Amino acid sequence: MTATQSLNQLISCQDDYDPNSMPVQQARKFIQRFLNPVSDTETLPLTAAVGRVLAKSVISPLNVPSHDNSAMDGFALHSQDINSPALNIIGTAYAGKPFIGTVNAGECIRIMTGALIPQDTDTVIMQERTEVSGNRMTMLEPPKPQANVRYAGEDLKKGQVVLETGRQLRPADIGLIASLGIGEVSVYRKLKVAFFSTGDELVSIGQPLGAGQIYDSNRYTLHGMLLGLNVDIIDMGVVRDDPAALEQALIEAATQADVILTSGGVSVGEADFMKQLLEKLGQVVFWKIAMKPGRPLAYGKVGSAHYFGLPGNPVSVMVTFYQFVRDALLYLAGQNPVPALPLLNATCTEPIRKLAGRTEFQRGILFADAAGNWQVRPTGNQGSGILRSMSEANCFIVLNDAIGNLPAGVEVQVQVMEGLL
Ligand code: AMP
Ligand code: MG
């Protein structure tokens, strides 16, 4: 089945499919059904693998820790001696330098954190609970039997799956893999993402602005957002609203990249010629999403590349990127499951104007009040061309379809931008 057939079939068999009022959730589900993650892999040394996605599960080749060892600086003894008035200190065990010898009844050894627990002992009393005089150690209170011992395999057991395929590797994961003595991992190759801006009014930085012209900012926000996703970025510049130039750019992008992103040219009026062009080159659907900002959105395939046609407005391009493209790119890059972005509850300090029947992503400033409770204040002008609102904001106030106007002081859900941007 080709992508063309399946896209059309899926559309025609959905009763509630309305391209002119597509709910956010439905659009996400629809896109999800067509995503096919990269399958090529490469082997990388650990230090180069941070942020990459595991293509093969990591299995533990050994127990971690490999031997029973002490969790404290103190004295190792046998639990039969916990109530003895005093014990003879007959030696010392250091981390990496075990005590060699036998510990008999009435005896103990000084032991450091991480040092091997000698065979004849099973309990460690911490130094602070003891008094030492010469080679005699007195316990100020008896320790619990088996206290302060870290057991072999307590962290990881030999043969255990430590990290699963599809996981994006974080610094803690890299350390965990290193603790197993493994120096290389198999990861998916990076996703290649090509993007360009469309519009006759757009001017690149360094050139003077003519009448009615504006500087292209979307390419810079898109570049910045893509940097955070660990993909290979192909910046194709500005393309005029000219069918031949657009066709050439799309064909070039499709041969180089797994994903093509464009901004502009998908709103009413402009969409008609983009539609014709994309129908010729692949299979693309145009939606008006029931959301604000970010109403027009196109999705589909150009050749074998995934295509996202984002709106031109600078705020809309960022919101649609975060709400649709981000998760799709992470999934295409091999992440599975893609961790959902968390939503926090916060009290809104001001009334909110909101139209029921669509999802709004208003820009907000999240802060803690004197009592430490989270509050959110909407940034002023919420117009989708006001990029300053994104720059000032540190969160989206996510208002779902059912919500209408809200008075000040009610609880709302926010999505923190930290880590997103
Ligand atoms: P469009 O979706 O092409 O109709 O564009 C909607 C609005 O966004 C228009 O005001 C455009 O001038 C503006 N716009 C489109 N692309 C960009 C861009 N790359 N940078 C800044 N503004 C843009
Ligand atoms: Mg345009």
Side-chain angles (χ1 to χ4, degrees), residues 197-198 201-202 214-218 263-267 270 311-314:
S197 297
T198 72
E201 74 282 26
L202 302 178
I214 55 168
Y215 285 115
D216 170 16
S217 60
N218 288 346
S263 76
V266 292
S267 47
E270 291 191 303
N313 270 312

Side-chain angles (χ1 to χ4, degrees), residues 32-79:
Q32 174 70 30
R33 296 180 66 160
F34 287 92
L35 302 175
N36 55 324
V38 294
S39 54
D40 299 341
T41 64
E42 56 184 322
T43 302
L44 290 182
L46 276 191
T47 46
V50 183
R52 301 296 296 270
V53 182
L54 266 186
K56 215 192 260 171
S57 297
V58 174
I59 313 275
S60 181
L62 39 84
N63 283 322
V64 179
S66 53
H67 298 92
D68 296 355
N69 68 86
S70 177
M72 292 284 172
D73 288 346
F75 297 88
L77 53 134
H78 196 281
S79 49

Side-chain angles (χ1 to χ4, degrees), residues 192-224:
K192 296 189 194 90
V193 182
F195 65 100
F196 58 85
S197 297
T198 72
D200 285 337
E201 74 282 26
L202 302 178
V203 172
S204 290
I205 295 172
Q207 281 157 19
L209 281 185
Q213 293 185 316
I214 55 168
Y215 285 115
D216 170 16
S217 60
N218 288 346
R219 220 147 42 82
Y220 291 84
T221 47
L222 278 173
H223 182 265

Side-chain angles (χ1 to χ4, degrees), residues 5 8 149 235 360 366 387 399 404 412:
Q5 283 169 327
N8 284 330
V149 178
D235 183 344
E360 293 193 14
L366 186 68
L387 194 51
L399 304 158
V412 290

Side-chain angles (χ1 to χ4, degrees), residues 74-77 88-93 98-99 102-103 107-111 116-118 121 137:
F75 297 88
L77 53 134
N88 283 335
I89 308 168
I90 61 156
T92 304
F99 169 79
T102 313
V103 184
E107 294 177 343
C108 68
I109 60 154
R110 192 182 283 278
I111 194 162
L116 237 74
I117 302 277
T121 67
M137 184 277 287

Side-chain angles (χ1 to χ4, degrees), residues 248-298:
Q248 200 196 335
L250 285 167
I251 290 171
E252 196 186 318
T255 56
Q256 295 184 52
D258 303 298
V259 181
I260 306 166
L261 306 179
T262 62
S263 76
V266 292
S267 47
V268 183
E270 291 191 303
D272 288 347
F273 90 86
M274 276 296 263
K275 243 182 202 160
Q276 280 172 15
L277 186 57
L278 288 162
E279 260 159 27
K280 183 172 148 196
L281 298 176
Q283 179 66 33
V284 175
V285 288
F286 284 72
W287 293 326
K288 290 194 183 77
I289 310 274
M291 72 186 270
K292 191 188 170 198
R295 209 157 107 82
L297 181 77

